[in-house]
Amino acid sequence: MQRLFGAAAYLAAMILAGPVLAQSTGGDVPGKASVGVTAGSLGVGPEIGYRFDRHVGARVNGGFLGLDHSFRSGGIDYDGHAKLSSVGAIVDLYPFGGGFRVSAGARYNGTDGNVRATPDGPTRIGSLVFTPEQIGTITGQADLRAFAPQLTLGYGGKLRKGLAFTVEAGALFQGAVRIRDFTSNGTLASDPTIAGATYRRELANQRQTLQDTANDYQVYPILQFGLKYRF
C-alpha cells in the first residue's frame, strides 16, 4: 500500500510539472461527451463523462475486480479474497482550461471480502493455544460502509474530439473494514463445556486483533488509468 501511495504521489507531481498545464486547445475541434474504460486500484470498468466547458466536467464510472491476498495477523496466516465493486460520481475542475484536473466525488462502495485460515499445528488463539482439531477452519466476512468520498488529481485529456489517455491519483476515504461473522468449525466451536466457552471467548479476542489491524487502513489509494473517446 505504501508503494501504491508513492506511485500516486509521483504521478501527481509529474502531472503538475508536465505539459498538461497547457491552456490552449489550438485548432482542435472541441468535444464534450466521452465514453471509455478505466483500470487501476479501484478495478476495471466503464466511464462516461461530459465536459461542460473548458473548466468544468463531470463523470460516472465503475470499478470491478476480484483479488486474492494472503496475510498474517495475531500469529495466524489467513487467505483473503476481496471483490472490488464500486460506482462513482465525480465533478472535475480544470483550473487551467487544459487537461489537468482536480476531482472530487463520492462512490457507492459494494466492495466486500472474506478471510479463511486452517491451522495445521498448535495455534495461539487469543491468549491460549489450541490444536487444529479444536480450531478447525476459521472464517470471517469483511465489508465497508456503503458510501465514501474520493479526491484525486489527474489528467483528463484535451478538450477535443478523438481518443485520449487519462490518469488520476488520490484517495478514497472508505473508513475501516468491518470484520464480522468470525467463526470456526472445530470441536470446540459449539462445545457447551467451559473449554468451549473459553475457546469462543479467545476467538472473539482474535477477531478484535484482526479488526484492530483493519482499523489502520481507512484510506484507500486511488491510481487509475483510462482510455476514452470524446465526441
Side-chain angles (χ1 to χ4, degrees), residues 12 52 73 79 116 153 193 220:
F52 297 99
S73 177
D79 293 321
R116 184 183 183 91
L153 299 177
T193 67
Y220 183 75

Side-chain angles (χ1 to χ4, degrees), residues 63-112:
F64 311 93
L65 190 66
L67 293 174
D68 292 314
H69 175 59
S70 297
F71 63 96
R72 187 175 180 84
S73 177
I76 297 179
D77 294 319
Y78 293 94
D79 293 321
H81 175 76
K83 183 182 69 176
L84 303 183
S85 176
S86 66
V87 177
I90 304 108
V91 174
D92 300 314
L93 300 179
Y94 298 83
F96 305 102
F100 171 71
R101 66 190 181 194
V102 180
S103 306
R107 304 193 73 79
Y108 170 74
N109 200 350
T111 295
D112 59 18

Side-chain angles (χ1 to χ4, degrees), residues 29-201:
V29 177
K32 293 189 173 183
S34 65
V35 296
V37 62
T38 179
S41 61
L42 293 173
V44 180
E47 179 175 88
I48 60 173
Y50 192 83
R51 186 91 174 251
F52 297 99
D53 55 36
R54 289 170 57 85
H55 297 286
V56 181
R59 289 176 288 140
V60 176
N61 59 29
F64 311 93
L65 190 66
L67 293 174
D68 292 314
H69 175 59
S70 297
F71 63 96
R72 187 175 180 84
S73 177
I76 297 179
D77 294 319
Y78 293 94
D79 293 321
H81 175 76
K83 183 182 69 176
L84 303 183
S85 176
S86 66
V87 177
I90 304 108
V91 174
D92 300 314
L93 300 179
Y94 298 83
F96 305 102
F100 171 71
R101 66 190 181 194
V102 180
S103 306
R107 304 193 73 79
Y108 170 74
N109 200 350
T111 295
D112 59 18
N114 58 72
V115 295
R116 184 183 183 91
T118 305
D120 57 6
T123 301
R124 182 177 297 276
I125 302 291
S127 60
L128 299 175
V129 175
F130 300 92
T131 68
E133 294 75 21
Q134 292 171 325
I135 299 169
T137 296
I138 299 172
T139 59
Q141 301 297 314
D143 55 25
L144 295 157
R145 67 187 185 188
F147 291 93
Q150 73 171 70
L151 183 64
T152 62
L153 299 177
Y155 175 69
K158 294 182 179 180
L159 185 57
R160 66 181 181 187
K161 293 183 178 180
L163 284 173
F165 172 79
T166 67
V167 60
E168 63 183 328
L172 178 68
F173 302 93
Q174 64 180 9
V177 176
R178 184 171 68 95
I179 307 300
R180 58 179 178 82
D181 298 336
F182 196 74
T183 61
S184 71
N185 60 4
T187 59
L188 290 180
S190 58
D191 191 314
T193 67
I194 293 177
T198 300
Y199 169 76
R200 290 188 291 274
R201 183 191 67 227

